[in-house]
Amino acid sequence: MADRPKRNADGKNQPHLTLHVPEPSYRPDADDVDFSAIEIPEAGAQSRPDEACDPEETHGLCTDLIRVLGDDNRAHGPWDPKLDPDTLREMLHHFALVRAFDERMFRGQRQGKTSFYMKCTGEEATSISTAMALQPDDMVFPSYRQQGVLIVRGYPLIEMINQIYSNSGDKLKGRQLPIMYSSREHSFFSISGNLATQTPQAVGWAMASAIKNDTRIAATWVGEGSTAEGDFHAACTFASVYQAPVILNVINNQWAISSFSGFAGGEQATFASRAIGYGLAGLRVDGNDPLACYAAEKWAADRARTNAGPTLIEFFTYRAEGHSTSDDPSGYRSAQEREAWPLGDPVVRLKNHLIELGEWDEERQAEMDLKAAEKVKKDTKEAEKNGILGHGMHQPFHTMFEDVFEEEPWHLREQNEQSQAERDKKYPDGVPH
Amino acid sequence: MSETKDKPKPKQGRDATGDDRRLNMIEAINDALDVAMGRDENVVVFGEDVGYFGGVFRCTAGLQEKYGKSRAFDTPISECGIIAAAIGMGAYGLRPVPEIQFADYIYPGYDQIISEAARIRYRSAGEYNVPMTVRTPFGGGIFGGQTHSQSPESLFTHASGIKTVIPATPYDAKGLLISCIEDNDPVIFFEPKRIYNGPFDGFFDRPVQNWKSHPDSVVPEGHYSIPLGKARLVTEGDQLTVLTYGTMVHVAKAVLEEKGIEADILDLRTLVPLDIEAVEKSVKKTGKCMIVHEATRTSGFGAELSALVQERCFYHLEAPIARVTGFDTPYPHSLEWAFFPGPVRIGAALDKILKD
């Protein structure tokens, strides 16, 4: 017989309830960061079901971790996508470019050339390797940390920089916060500041593709923090109900600004295991393993493209840098975490794999990195000819009133005239540049 | 300007007696959807209970049978998901016509409407647009209580990038809905459910009328459209101008008739963009303006109308602008007729504004 509960001060023999508030393992003062409790299975040990399998067959993969690249820098197991060396070098080149781009844009923000920037350091494989597994005209609904998709799709760096600097060359006419890109030509949906809204939109796009008997599929990316939004639930439900040809990529980089993944429900269950309850196929992938990222996205793309249904993929990775240029992570997490992260750096892992294959060497890597930095520098200088933020060479004032509606209604026309009168009064000799 | 005079002549209908074809508002909406779907295979209709069952108000009856499950279908009970799916479909190139079962339940989809649908053309500099028409029954007078009676139009008129349209007759419902569906901007199409079956005049203790005897229930077959942004002059008169829309068009008209007042009643039909020319012209003629809506008063659309009239017609005004609205309370169930801006409240406002 169990012990009788002790009586509380109020005389009742029931325990007082306590609120569980998740707490990350390490805070800034921690100098003993140790991630050995994270289970890292052997590369190649995970089974690979057929793409057309029932969702239940993926349940084991929702709590496992699909890995291809082992500590020996070799590819292992059934998820090895068997990419040829040229494709691997192309992937490595995209990595080099996005990393050089992030470095320079971050610096540009610090130099006051723009107001804001967000890096994707450490998460490059989750956008670049995955985008390489899609067709170029598959529609993507990204969050703000998938600049790698644009790099893969050949979107000109100059256009990205024009947007970041909100200059006279900015295709979005200076209306959007930096990095909220949009390119219909590259099947890249307009990025919104409102989190997770893109996830059910991607499902709707995929439903439309199915309604029209098209062959294109949709993919969306969302951070693990934003999976807590109601929109993510709507996306999973609609994807499941209509068996929409869509891939729901969840980038679990452990951090949502300052709150660790426990505040999105990550303490009790993996994010991939969300798939189980919705009847979706689910995969959990080493997000720093470029081959595993490619293979998982390809599996899900093939599944969607053959009408076999949607897939939810959790990419388990680590946000190596601050959330944004406005964020200082030393205020909430240990600086040691990045080095201690057990899955390493995706760029280094791919490089070492190519070297192990005898298809690459450190000299060529150094040359590639240098060329990437030079390319970014050259394009930045070119873009800066169109101006930088706040230095006059922005869009004409009247453009502020365009595209609210297809046609300008009377009230916007009046406000447009008012705006012009304000400028004329302030600058009687014309607006200075 | 007013559409009354250049309204196309209704064609001979299919009524066996040879009379013009008369429809109630539900039938007119159903007809508009049928016409739009028949003309453009990119038009898709969906929402809760919209598919097989044909909608809880029957507005989508028969569409699934006629156009198939991929054109007219049921959805999960998720307003966020319904609107978001429509946005994604719009980005693809479809012309989605989602239904929100009651306007009172549009709020879970509000972020998707305001932050997304209304902004996508602007934020993408025209790369993407959302040619979506959200249909949703709104308004009270049906003992719907707090969550089947609301009039949330001002929550949408306040957001840039979205159009707000409200019909008051079957003829307008069809013509305006077709225009909304063909419009390339996102539109909220509020359907006054109190007048789905008949033109409610606010005298709740009298027998209910149906549309069959009303001239605006003559609805032509086939395609026609009524331009957005144009008001309809319901009656003409010099004593005052009444600015209103939806159910309240009929209530205001009945009260003015009872009192023998001759006024310009303007059925605004589109709140954004507003037919400011028609408003200005009428108020400058009459010198007096009364605004009538069911929605609660504070920050309601009447406040915007009042401000616009004050700014543009100040030197023509002979009396303070009157606002007759619902009270600033949630919509009550048992006290419905004390809340509803009916004949008594309108009559008192008329007495005051016409005193001089």
Side-chain angles (χ1 to χ4, degrees):
Chain A
M1 208 172 131
D3 291 339
R4 292 181 66 173
K6 286 178 187 156
R7 285 187 187 280
N8 293 316
D10 58 10
K12 288 182 186 165
N13 61 4
Q14 293 167 317
H16 285 298
L17 299 171
T18 58
L19 180 69
H20 172 67
V21 180
E23 181 64 28
S25 304
Y26 305 104
R27 285 300 193 184
D29 53 356
D31 53 8
D32 58 344
V33 173
D34 178 4
F35 285 127
S36 58
I38 296 176
E39 281 184 46
I40 309 292
E42 202 64 30
Q46 299 75 39
S47 65
R48 185 183 181 285
D50 188 84
E51 287 91 335
C53 71
D54 284 338
E56 301 94 87
E57 288 183 48
T58 66
H59 287 184
L61 292 167
C62 291
T63 49
D64 206 329
L65 197 65
I66 294 169
R67 303 182 74 224
V68 174
L69 275 177
D71 294 341
D72 57 0
N73 297 318
R74 291 191 164 271
H76 300 274
W79 286 93
D80 177 7
K82 301 199 189 316
L83 297 175
D84 61 66
D86 282 342
T87 305
L88 293 173
R89 279 188 288 261
E90 185 191 342
M91 193 184 286
L92 195 62
H93 178 254
H94 293 320
F95 283 176
L97 201 54
V98 81
R99 203 158 263 198
F101 187 77
D102 275 1
E103 283 304 322
R104 185 145 199 117
M105 291 302 105
F106 189 92
R107 194 141 40 94
Q109 191 277 339
R110 290 297 189 250
Q111 291 166 342
K113 291 174 181 173
T114 188
S115 61
F116 184 75
Y117 191 70
M118 298 176 104
K119 289 176 158 186
C120 67
T121 312
E123 302 171 39
E124 290 88 348
T126 65
S127 58
I128 286 171
S129 307
T130 51
M132 287 177 73
L134 299 171
Q135 294 295 319
D137 58 353
D138 287 337
M139 187 70 188
V140 301
F141 288 76
S143 81
Y144 45 70
R145 226 183 284 280
Q146 279 77 49
Q147 52 265 53
V149 176
L150 284 173
I151 300 271
V152 168
R153 293 193 168 179
Y155 189 65
L157 293 186
I158 291 176
E159 299 296 354
M160 293 173 79
I161 303 164
N162 284 338
Q163 197 282 325
I164 289 165
Y165 287 172
S166 276
N167 62 22
S168 62
D170 176 10
K171 285 191 167 173
L172 305 185
K173 302 184 178 179
R175 293 174 186 158
Q176 273 275 51
L177 193 68
I179 74 158
M180 305 278 181
Y181 313 106
S182 174
S183 180
R184 190 179 184 97
E185 198 188 334
H186 298 81
S187 298
F188 187 96
F189 191 63
S190 157
I191 297 174
S192 169
N194 296 63
L195 298 175
T197 51
Q198 76 277 9
T199 58
Q201 292 168 3
V203 178
W205 194 97
M207 289 168 68
S209 189
I211 287 168
K212 301 301 281 185
N213 307 125
D214 198 343
T215 58
R216 293 174 293 165
I217 64 169
T220 183
W221 282 255
V222 68
E224 94 286 347
S226 305
T227 64
E229 295 282 4
D231 302 61
F232 182 71
H233 168 63
C236 291
T237 303
F238 276 62
S240 175
V241 167
Y242 299 106
Q243 290 294 292
V246 65
I247 307 171
L248 305 168
N249 296 307
V250 175
I251 310 303
N252 176 9
N253 66 11
Q254 317 302 320
W255 292 94
I257 307 186
S258 76
S259 67
F260 88 114
S261 59
F263 282 98
E267 269 186 341
Q268 318 300 343
T270 67
F271 291 94
S273 64
R274 281 18 176 195
I276 297 170
Y278 291 102
L280 301 168
L283 306 174
R284 186 162 178 268
V285 180
D286 176 350
N288 290 16
D289 178 342
L291 299 186
C293 290
Y294 180 97
E297 195 78 2
K298 184 74 168 56
W299 187 93
D302 289 345
R303 179 177 174 83
R305 219 180 295 282
T306 54
N307 285 306
T311 305
L312 187 160
I313 310 177
E314 173 187 355
F315 294 93
F316 192 70
T317 181
Y318 186 80
R319 196 194 75 207
E321 301 252 355
H323 167 70
S324 71
T325 49
S326 307
D327 177 48
D328 175 9
S330 72
Y332 51 81
R333 70 182 189 187
S334 170
Q336 286 192 356
E337 283 195 15
R338 181 176 177 173
E339 280 306 306
W341 184 247
L343 297 173
D345 178 315
V347 180
V348 173
R349 285 175 72 183
L350 183 61
K351 180 190 76 175
N352 289 344
H353 175 55
L354 270 162
I355 292 173
E356 178 68 24
L357 292 175
E359 294 286 349
W360 198 242
D361 52 55
E362 293 289 359
E363 290 72 34
R364 276 190 275 181
Q365 179 69 36
E367 193 187 340
M368 179 192 272
D369 287 342
L370 188 67
K371 276 191 174 164
E374 281 170 355
K375 156 86 177 151
V376 172
K377 186 177 175 185
K378 180 170 160 285
D379 286 355
T380 304
K381 290 211 178 306
E382 198 59 34
E384 284 179 7
K385 288 180 185 168
N386 299 321
I388 57 174
L389 181 67
H391 282 252
M393 295 173 72
H394 44 63
Q395 299 292 322
F397 292 104
H398 68 84
T399 63
M400 176 165 62
F401 299 92
E402 294 170 355
D403 299 323
V404 178
F405 295 100
E406 185 174 38
E407 288 166 22
E408 197 171 80
W410 66 269
H411 60 286
L412 285 174
R413 197 167 55 243
E414 286 189 357
Q415 291 165 32
N416 195 345
E417 286 160 8
Q418 178 191 346
S419 161
Q420 194 52 52
E422 288 170 7
R423 304 336 292 180
D424 291 346
K425 188 166 185 216
K426 187 168 180 193
Y427 305 109
D429 303 322
V431 178
H433 276 285
Chain B
M1 292 306 295
S2 165
E3 287 301 305
T4 308
K5 280 162 192 152
D6 50 28
K7 182 195 288 187
K9 280 270 186 288
K11 286 181 205 144
Q12 199 74 354
R14 59 188 168 197
D15 193 309
T17 63
D19 289 343
D20 286 326
R21 191 176 73 141
R22 292 182 176 277
L23 303 181
N24 65 28
M25 195 180 278
I26 291 166
E27 293 162 336
I29 288 164
N30 185 263
D31 193 25
L33 293 170
D34 187 8
V35 167
M37 293 177 86
R39 280 168 66 95
D40 183 350
E41 61 181 22
N42 288 324
V43 175
V44 288
V45 169
F46 51 94
E48 296 157 20
D49 307 296
V50 161
Y52 180 84
F53 181 56
V56 296
F57 291 107
R58 317 307 304 148
C59 289
T60 57
L63 297 177
Q64 184 174 83
E65 198 179 1
K66 184 166 179 183
Y67 295 101
K69 282 200 218 173
S70 66
R71 299 279 308 280
F73 53 89
D74 293 307
T75 64
I77 302 173
S78 168
E79 289 75 17
C80 165
I82 291 167
I83 302 295
I87 292 169
M89 290 178 193
Y92 179 94
L94 299 189
R95 242 169 232 288
V97 190
E99 176 184 304
I100 300 296
Q101 200 161 83
F102 288 86
D104 314 61
Y105 301 131
I106 205 165
Y107 310 122
Y110 194 63
D111 185 42
Q112 286 284 351
I113 294 172
I114 303 302
S115 307
E116 301 291 319
R119 308 279 160 84
I120 283 170
R121 180 192 295 281
Y122 191 73
R123 78 179 196 223
S124 72
E127 279 194 341
Y128 295 98
N129 68 305
V130 182
M132 159 182 90
T133 302
V134 182
R135 289 181 41 247
T136 187
F138 92 129
I142 57 152
F143 279 102
Q146 294 188 24
T147 56
H148 299 81
S149 307
Q150 294 169 32
S151 298
E153 63 271 18
S154 69
L155 296 179
F156 296 89
T157 58
H158 187 58
S160 49
I162 197 144
K163 292 175 179 170
T164 304
V165 177
I166 302 171
T169 67
Y171 176 84
D172 278 8
K174 179 175 173 182
L176 287 169
L177 181 53
I178 287 174
S179 285
C180 293
I181 294 170
E182 292 173 350
D183 195 278
N184 288 327
D185 292 314
V187 188
I188 310 291
F189 188 77
F190 285 109
E191 299 169 2
K193 58 186 170 299
R194 185 62 182 81
I195 56 171
Y196 266 159
N197 290 300
F200 178 62
D201 63 7
F203 292 89
F204 60 90
D205 43 359
R206 296 181 189 173
V208 182
Q209 302 164 280
N210 67 37
W211 278 112
K212 305 298 174 189
S213 58
H214 194 286
D216 290 327
S217 71
V218 176
V219 176
E221 288 190 73
H223 181 274
Y224 69 95
S225 61
I226 295 170
L228 305 185
K230 300 291 178 190
R232 174 176 70 105
L233 194 58
V234 182
T235 59
E236 278 188 80
D238 294 331
Q239 286 181 268
L240 83 156
T241 298
V242 179
L243 303 179
T244 187
Y245 47 89
T247 302
M248 301 315 294
V249 169
H250 304 282
V251 179
K253 184 165 175 274
V255 177
L256 292 170
E257 273 170 12
E258 290 259 328
K259 294 178 80 80
I261 296 164
E262 293 190 342
D264 276 3
I265 299 180
L266 271 181
D267 171 6
L268 297 174
R269 301 202 287 200
T270 305
L271 304 192
V272 174
L274 182 70
D275 189 348
I276 193 67
E277 272 183 64
V279 171
E280 247 185 277
K281 185 182 168 200
S282 175
V283 176
K284 283 179 178 169
K285 179 186 83 175
T286 65
K288 292 181 178 180
C289 178
M290 183 172 82
I291 296 155
V292 187
H293 62 57
E294 282 185 69
T296 51
R297 171 171 299 213
T298 303
S299 302
F301 192 68
E304 180 64 27
L305 288 172
S306 174
L308 286 168
V309 169
Q310 189 274 139
E311 286 162 4
R312 288 164 182 266
C313 309
F314 184 77
Y315 296 106
H316 293 78
L317 285 175
E318 295 160 13
I321 300 160
R323 273 191 291 162
V324 182
T325 70
F327 293 130
D328 284 336
T329 70
Y331 207 108
H333 184 238
S334 66
L335 299 177
E336 170 138 71
W337 300 119
F339 174 93
F340 189 88
V344 173
R345 200 171 309 152
I346 294 172
L350 284 169
D351 291 346
K352 198 171 170 190
I353 199 171
L354 295 173
K355 190 171 56 185
D356 302 322

